[in-house]
Amino acid sequence: MLSDSTATATIIAEKPGMAAVVAGAPRVAEIAARCGDETEAARRLAPDVVEAVRAAGFARHFVPAAFGGAEGRFADMTSAVTLVGEGCASAAWAASLSAYAARYGAYLPPEGQEVLWADGPDALMAGALMPAGKAERVSGGWRLRGEWKYISGIRFADWVFACSAVPGKVGPDGRGEVRFFAVPRADITVKDTWFTLGMRGTGSDTMVLDDVFVPDHLTLSRLDINAGRATASTARCHTVPVNEVNALPLAVPVVGAARGAVRTAAEQTVRRTDRRGAPLREKPSVQTDLARSAAEVDAAELLVQRAARVADGVEATRDGEAAVRGPRDLALAVELSVSAVERLFRATGTTGHFESDPVQRFWRDVNTAASHVIFSFETAGSAYGAWALGVEGAEPGR
């Protein structure tokens, strides 16, 4: 039997030009789906799923080439995460956020990058993206203490980028400076707090740091990430402004899960009959509902793929457009995914409410993920509308 890495290499050899992470994604989806019950019960990814994510190349996809990484495209990551999402939304979410967190390493000083990837490019990352805790300046670095909530993948992460406001410093926009601090697993305490309706397997528990020292070479400014000012890389995945990436790592798992719900619902419908024993698949209303949900997911996938192409720099936009169209499109893609899955879930009837029914898990996961504040269409839509109408003082992506 081939190992994960050998199997992936074989697939790539058979399909020249296919990114490793795309070639490996179907195997991750298969393993994640098979381990679904274990993942749900543990409220974190099953160990086999974590290793499959690592073997597929998610960790190294955005790592600088100087450290053995792929410096890969956003379009490839989007395709890979969508495929994984068809099998398990939690696995797709955790894999996606871990891959995108690794991008942050490219903004560390060279000495810090050497530490981060000292054992190779497959170190798994997690990110605490909202400022929390306290950072105190000390000789040679910083001391961190406090709690950071909702850290997806923290249970398997080798490193976590903790975000915190820096006292006494003000950025060029007049706001207090925010920095990221790379913290190794050994310095982290995890508080078991992730008890949720959906997305249970993401293991998004609370990180606790108790007077942890982080040297200067393991810190970076959020302003550099926002502007795409990588330390020693000219790769597009490191130089793209963050507004052109926006909610991409969060939206794609939702679309993938909706795709999985459509496929699963269709498979179930083929086997189901109504009360009189007539095949449900022959009913025009059933056919139409499936068609509408499938079309909504197709539209959502087209929107996230376009956002990925813009982030890769292969699709042009007007000045300032990428920063506002991306959030608009991704918020709408999530709304479409919710609509599609809601329709499919209602059609399952009473049987769809049993924990053994896979559609109900897709429904729980999609609705839970969609509640993330970043998917507010009111916020994203107003920013796009203000830009399109030439409203003075409108802030891109806000």
Side-chain angles (χ1 to χ4, degrees):
M1 182 175 179
L2 294 176
S3 66
D4 287 349
S5 58
T6 303
T8 298
T10 301
I11 294 171
I12 296 171
E14 293 173 351
K15 297 183 178 180
M18 177 182 286
V21 73
V22 179
R27 179 170 174 77
V28 180
E30 175 190 350
I31 294 173
R34 188 171 69 238
C35 296
D37 290 342
E38 180 183 352
T39 289
E40 285 256 299
R43 293 175 294 106
R44 67 192 70 167
L45 294 189
D48 286 351
V49 181
V50 174
E51 289 313 306
V53 167
R54 194 192 305 266
F58 280 88
R60 66 172 57 204
H61 187 73
F62 290 127
V63 173
F67 296 95
E71 292 185 350
R73 300 187 309 164
F74 293 102
D76 290 326
M77 180 56 62
T78 296
S79 296
V81 172
T82 302
L83 287 168
V84 175
E86 291 187 39
C88 174
S90 289
W93 183 278
S96 179
L97 294 190
S98 182
Y100 276 84
R103 290 180 62 245
Y104 287 34
Y107 299 87
L108 290 171
E111 182 183 357
Q113 295 185 34
E114 291 176 3
V115 173
L116 199 67
W117 293 301
D119 296 324
D122 291 321
L124 291 167
M125 310 289 174
L129 305 184
M130 296 302 294
K134 293 184 178 180
E136 178 186 359
R137 192 75 168 97
V138 296
S139 177
W142 302 80
R143 292 229 169 247
L144 297 183
R145 60 179 61 85
E147 296 188 358
W148 286 256
K149 296 180 178 180
Y150 312 133
I151 314 303
S152 299
I154 191 171
R155 296 284 183 174
F156 63 72
D158 298 304
W159 292 84
V160 176
F161 285 93
C163 184
S164 190
V166 175
K169 289 197 173 185
V170 178
D173 59 358
R175 299 171 180 167
E177 184 186 4
V178 174
R179 298 188 68 84
F180 286 93
F181 303 84
V183 182
R185 178 189 295 180
D187 291 341
I188 293 169
T189 299
V190 179
K191 183 183 290 188
D192 195 13
T193 56
W194 190 244
F195 297 88
T196 57
L197 175 68
M199 301 299 284
R200 293 174 183 170
T202 63
S204 303
D205 288 310
T206 299
M207 176 176 70
V208 180
L209 300 181
D210 184 13
D211 198 30
V212 171
F213 174 72
V214 180
D216 282 328
H217 60 266
L218 288 176
T219 73
L220 58 107
S221 172
R222 190 168 69 176
L223 292 172
D224 289 333
I225 294 174
N226 290 349
R229 292 191 294 264
T231 305
S233 173
T234 58
R236 173 69 183 185
C237 65
H238 301 140
T239 57
V240 60
V242 77
N243 277 338
E244 295 187 24
V245 179
N246 293 300
L248 195 58
L250 303 175
V252 179
V254 180
V255 176
R259 174 73 66 202
V262 169
R263 186 197 67 243
T264 303
E267 292 170 352
Q268 289 180 336
T269 302
V270 168
R271 301 189 297 267
R272 292 176 63 197
T273 59
D274 64 15
R275 294 177 181 177
R276 294 173 297 178
L280 280 180
R281 65 179 180 178
E282 295 179 1
K283 292 183 176 295
S285 61
V286 172
Q287 297 165 356
T288 302
D289 282 349
L290 181 65
R292 188 175 297 279
S293 287
E296 286 177 335
V297 177
D298 284 348
E301 189 168 354
L302 288 171
L303 288 170
V304 298
Q305 287 175 343
R306 182 171 72 171
R309 291 195 302 272
V310 170
D312 282 326
V314 298
E315 182 165 324
T317 57
R318 292 175 287 170
D319 288 345
E321 183 179 22
V324 291
R325 194 180 72 182
R328 180 205 70 181
D329 286 357
L330 296 172
L332 182 58
V334 169
E335 284 192 359
L336 289 169
S337 297
V338 171
S339 174
V341 175
E342 185 71 31
R343 184 180 300 103
L344 297 170
F345 178 63
R346 287 200 307 268
T348 61
T350 303
T351 58
H353 290 264
F354 283 81
E355 290 186 352
S356 58
D357 191 290
V359 174
Q360 60 81 28
R361 183 181 175 192
F362 282 122
W363 178 81
R364 287 189 288 108
D365 288 343
V366 165
N367 277 279
T368 297
S371 68
H372 197 293
V373 65
I374 202 168
F375 298 135
S376 167
F377 192 83
E378 286 68 27
T379 301
S382 63
Y384 178 85
W387 171 83
L389 297 171
V391 176
E392 294 294 332
E395 294 187 59
R398 287 180 61 83

